[in-house]
Amino acid sequence: MIRNVPNIKMVGLNTHRSLKEVFSDWRAIEKKLGRKIPLWISEASIPSTDNSGKINRDSLQAAFTAQCLEDIKNASDVCLGVTVHSFKDNPNATPTEKFGYAERHFGAFTYDGKEKPVVNVIRNGWAADTQTIAARQATIAPLIKQINQAPLLQ
């Protein structure tokens, strides 16, 4: 599909699987296309409960997020960045077939605003990685300029 839309400058991807696999797959796609198309991971997370919404998995959510941040740090040739989690759990989220009641527990904060362990992972991960952040900002600036100058329809 990307081959049929040559003006694509960047792709956003929402995933709940290993980013190492995603980046490996994306490198193969870029090779096949013969050009680079940077990725933005628009959501990479897992819920802090099981599908019943009753078993707490805060530590698993934090560990998964730490691995995602590490994978992204090591994939600057492919990935520009990530949006991690919802800001806050949503008690009104409709249970889904895939995640059940866990759909309500993707937040970095609980319903009542308390930090989950994942907040420290995010805080510490980005604070320790200012060089990578600066490099990505330098990479994305010309891309944003191109996007802003491109006509909406060609």
Side-chain angles (χ1 to χ4, degrees), residues 16 43 45-58 61 85-114 116 118:
H16 299 279
E43 181 180 290
S45 61
I46 61 170
S48 62
T49 66
D50 69 335
N51 286 5
S52 73
K54 296 177 183 174
I55 297 174
N56 183 299
R57 301 182 328 170
D58 282 349
Q61 184 187 44
H85 301 279
S86 300
F87 181 72
K88 197 173 175 185
D89 286 345
N90 180 357
N92 301 316
T94 304
T96 63
E97 187 174 322
K98 182 175 182 179
F99 292 110
Y101 283 92
E103 188 67 38
R104 297 176 177 180
H105 300 277
F106 274 93
F109 292 84
T110 61
Y111 308 125
D112 57 2
K114 292 184 180 111
K116 294 182 187 179
V118 72

Side-chain angles (χ1 to χ4, degrees), residues 18 35 39 49 51 73 87 108 130 135:
S18 162
R35 66 186 176 114
L39 278 176
T49 66
N51 286 5
K73 182 177 165 184
F87 181 72
T130 54

